[in-house]
């Protein structure tokens, strides 16, 4: 038989192939999810991979390992809502017998005409051999390092881990915002060897709308850093995916509380959210909501700094719903005109011991007035404020410090 005849016969066989068999016997697992994560449909390959006969009705979270659930809440779903797709996400799936299967996921979200997620399609690739290869590489590297100054190597690895986690709490650089001078200052407590929970973020949702987020997770360590990533990434995902009228700081605060509650942690987070919209006159209309966080300090022109409150409970304490609910979250509004200054900060800046007690919000306001009257840029104000607070503690902060300074041009 000639080569062309072979090709024709092969093409004809493909046309006669059963689409259902192609789906069920595909070389990777397939599943379809409802918007709430309920499994709607799976193929034979996935069920064989997980050693089970039925998955329909199970929730996607039930199939993930505990670590996979954290990744699902902080990366997978926020990215799907924002971009509509994720690729090569590595997680572990949990079989009914308790064993884990390492996999790589590709997922796409299908939306309805209103832009809401209608269903999610996921392709699951078994990564057992890849995981084994990676583990072998790690084991070989560890054996090589063990022969050379093991104690020093362990200290360097710990330092690298802390630096990586700490660096994930704040952006490496802030974006350039037309019409706004913007600067941040950050310093972990003590010698910086322990991961803290202070964080901030600045991002745009369209050309004339910017969001500023600053918060403080209770406690320290890796667990605090995980919750910090959840809140920071969650705020960004919500603000960039929600549409009017839901894209309000107070409503996002409520959503963040639900997100942290689902995380099932005893920790909580204080956070301030600002939405800045540029007007035709060049000024900024600011809407803010605060969840248990220190007040924003606002300095109008050369006048004294005053606190702006829009207080709600901290997120993660379950006080936004249920019988103990404080009611609908509140938010405040103010304008930033040319020369006006606003500052967000964590309590590591105000709860500093001075003769007679604590520096407090009032003492920090006085320091801000003195520094701002002599400084022309947000960078200089933020840097000098950090130096001032550190000097009161002999250069070693007793708590994490974070602040953001905004000056309207």
């Amino acid at each position: 038989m000639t080569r062309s005849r072979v090709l024709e016969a092969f093409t004809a066989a493909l046309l006669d192939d059963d689409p259902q068999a192609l789906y069920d016997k595909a070389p990777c697992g397939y599943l379809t999810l409802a918007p709430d994560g309920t499994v709607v449909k799976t193929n034979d390959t996935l069920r064989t991979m997980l050693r089970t006969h039925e998955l329909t009705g199970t929730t996607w979270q039930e199939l993930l390992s505990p670590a996979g659930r954290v990744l699902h809440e902080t990366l997978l779903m926020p990215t799907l809502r924002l971009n509509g797709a994720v690729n090569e996400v590595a997680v572990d799936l949990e079989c009914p017998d308790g064993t884990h299967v390492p996999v790589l996921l590709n997922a796409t979200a299908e939306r309805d005409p209103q832009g809401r997620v209608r269903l999610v399609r996921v392709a699951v690739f078994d990564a057992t051999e890849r995981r084994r290869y990676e583990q072998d590489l790690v084991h070989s590297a560890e054996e090589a390092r063990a022969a050379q100054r093991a104690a020093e190597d362990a200290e360097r690895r710990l330092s690298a881990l802390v630096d990586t986690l700490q660096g994930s709490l704040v952006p490496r650089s802030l974006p350039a915002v037309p019409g706004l001078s913007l600067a941040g200052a950050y310093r972990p407590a003590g010698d910086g060897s322990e991961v803290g929970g202070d964080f901030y973020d600045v991002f745009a949702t369209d050309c004339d709308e910017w969001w500023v987020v600053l918060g403080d997770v209770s406690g320290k360590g890796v667990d605090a850093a995980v919750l910090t990533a959840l809140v920071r990434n969650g705020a960004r995902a919500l603000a960039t995916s929600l549409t009017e009228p839901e894209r309000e700081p107070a409503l996002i605060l409520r959503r963040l509380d639900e997100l942290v509650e689902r995380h099932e942690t005893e920790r909580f987070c204080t956070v301030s959210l600002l939405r800045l919209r540029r007007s035709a006159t060049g000024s900024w209309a600011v809407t803010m909501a605060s969840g248990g966080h220190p007040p924003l300090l606002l300095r109008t022109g050369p006048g004294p700094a005053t606190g702006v409150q829009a207080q709600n409970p901290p997120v993660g304490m379950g006080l936004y719903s249920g019988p103990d609910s404080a009611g609908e979250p509140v938010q405040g509004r103010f304008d930033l005109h040319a020369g006006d200054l606003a500052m967000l900060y964590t309590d590591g800046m105000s709860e500093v011991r001075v003769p007679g007690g604590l520096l407090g919000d009032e003492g920090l306001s006085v320091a801000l007035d003195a520094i701002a009257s002599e400084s022309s840029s947000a960078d200089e104000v933020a840097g000098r404020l950090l130096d001032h607070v550190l000097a009161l503690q002999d250069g070693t902060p007793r708590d994490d410090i974070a602040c953001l300074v905004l000056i309207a041009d």
Side-chain angles (χ1 to χ4, degrees):
M1 185 180 292
T2 64
R3 183 174 179 178
S4 61
R5 292 284 183 87
V6 170
L7 183 60
E8 288 175 4
F10 180 70
T11 303
L14 286 179
L15 291 175
D16 291 337
D17 212 339
D18 181 4
Q20 184 62 43
L22 288 173
Y23 174 81
D24 280 330
K25 305 302 181 183
C28 67
Y30 287 126
L31 73 159
T32 304
L33 306 174
D36 65 354
T38 301
V39 176
V40 177
K41 185 179 180 182
T42 60
N43 70 346
D44 287 345
T45 305
L46 180 66
R47 293 191 294 273
T48 301
M49 191 186 303
L50 297 181
R51 295 186 286 280
T52 184
H53 297 293
E54 185 57 58
L55 289 171
T56 303
T58 307
T59 65
W60 175 234
Q61 289 83 347
E62 291 175 62
L63 299 179
L64 293 169
S65 68
R69 292 173 201 141
V70 173
L71 195 65
H72 174 268
E73 295 294 340
T74 62
L75 174 65
L76 186 60
M77 289 311 297
T79 304
L80 268 176
R81 295 189 188 102
L82 179 61
N83 299 328
V86 294
N87 293 304
E88 296 187 0
V89 176
V91 296
D92 281 1
L93 296 185
E94 192 168 88
C95 301
D97 62 6
T99 59
H100 288 183
V101 178
V103 298
L104 291 176
L105 304 179
N106 288 350
T108 58
E110 182 177 307
R111 303 180 186 275
D112 61 19
Q114 288 72 43
R116 295 173 301 221
V117 174
R118 191 175 72 87
L119 56 85
V120 176
R121 294 188 174 92
V122 186
V124 182
F125 300 87
D126 192 331
T128 302
E129 291 302 320
R130 171 174 170 165
R131 175 71 59 84
R132 185 176 293 113
Y133 175 72
E134 291 172 345
Q135 289 173 341
D136 288 343
L137 287 179
V138 171
H139 181 67
S140 298
E142 288 176 347
E143 287 183 337
R145 286 195 295 268
Q148 304 175 3
R149 305 174 69 182
E152 293 181 7
D153 284 350
E155 184 177 347
R156 283 197 294 270
R157 287 196 300 273
L158 176 60
S159 177
L161 173 62
V162 171
D163 289 345
T164 300
L165 288 173
Q166 205 78 66
S168 70
L169 306 184
V170 296
R172 294 188 181 275
S173 61
L174 292 173
V177 182
L180 197 66
S181 176
L182 182 65
Y186 178 79
R187 176 72 180 269
D191 61 2
S193 62
E194 190 172 15
V195 183
D198 287 14
F199 67 95
Y200 59 76
D201 199 6
V202 179
F203 54 89
T205 49
D206 63 41
C207 60
D208 291 318
E209 180 176 290
W210 289 81
W211 284 74
V212 175
V213 183
L214 184 141
D216 182 3
V217 170
S218 62
K220 300 185 185 302
V222 175
D223 288 346
V226 169
L227 185 58
T228 298
L230 177 68
V231 176
R232 181 187 170 193
N233 294 338
R236 178 183 280 256
L238 287 166
T240 52
S241 62
L242 292 176
T243 57
E244 298 292 356
E246 292 184 308
R247 199 168 70 237
E248 292 280 351
L251 296 180
I252 290 180
L253 206 59
R254 178 189 289 277
R255 296 283 191 93
L256 287 176
D257 181 69
E258 296 170 357
L259 185 64
V260 176
E261 278 288 285
R262 290 198 300 271
H263 187 59
E264 295 183 354
T265 176
E266 294 182 359
R267 300 181 187 274
F268 62 89
C269 178
T270 68
V271 61
S272 285
L273 301 167
L274 303 185
R275 185 188 66 192
L276 293 86
R277 286 178 169 170
R278 192 79 184 272
S279 68
T281 62
S283 63
W284 292 92
V286 183
T287 307
M288 72 168 291
S290 178
H293 206 72
L296 174 144
L297 295 181
L298 176 63
R299 192 169 188 265
T300 305
T306 57
V308 178
Q309 294 274 12
Q311 280 294 3
N312 301 280
V315 299
M317 299 182 71
L319 298 178
Y320 284 77
S321 60
D324 298 325
S325 169
E328 287 299 315
V330 299
Q331 57 188 21
R333 292 179 173 82
F334 60 91
D335 293 326
L336 274 181
H337 301 282
D340 292 350
L341 179 151
M343 184 180 81
L344 289 172
Y345 58 95
T346 58
D347 57 14
M349 295 200 82
S350 56
E351 294 182 357
V352 175
R353 293 204 171 276
V354 296
L358 297 176
L359 178 64
D361 300 326
E362 184 176 348
L364 190 61
S365 299
V366 172
L368 175 62
D369 287 335
I371 291 171
S373 64
E374 302 172 355
S375 307
S376 58
S377 71
D379 278 324
E380 189 175 356
V381 173
R384 290 184 60 185
L385 271 172
L386 176 61
D387 291 342
H388 173 70
V389 173
L390 289 175
L392 294 174
Q393 304 174 82
D394 298 323
T396 304
R398 293 159 183 78
D399 195 4
D400 305 318
I401 295 171
C403 77
L404 281 171
V405 176
L406 298 77
I407 302 177
D409 297 340

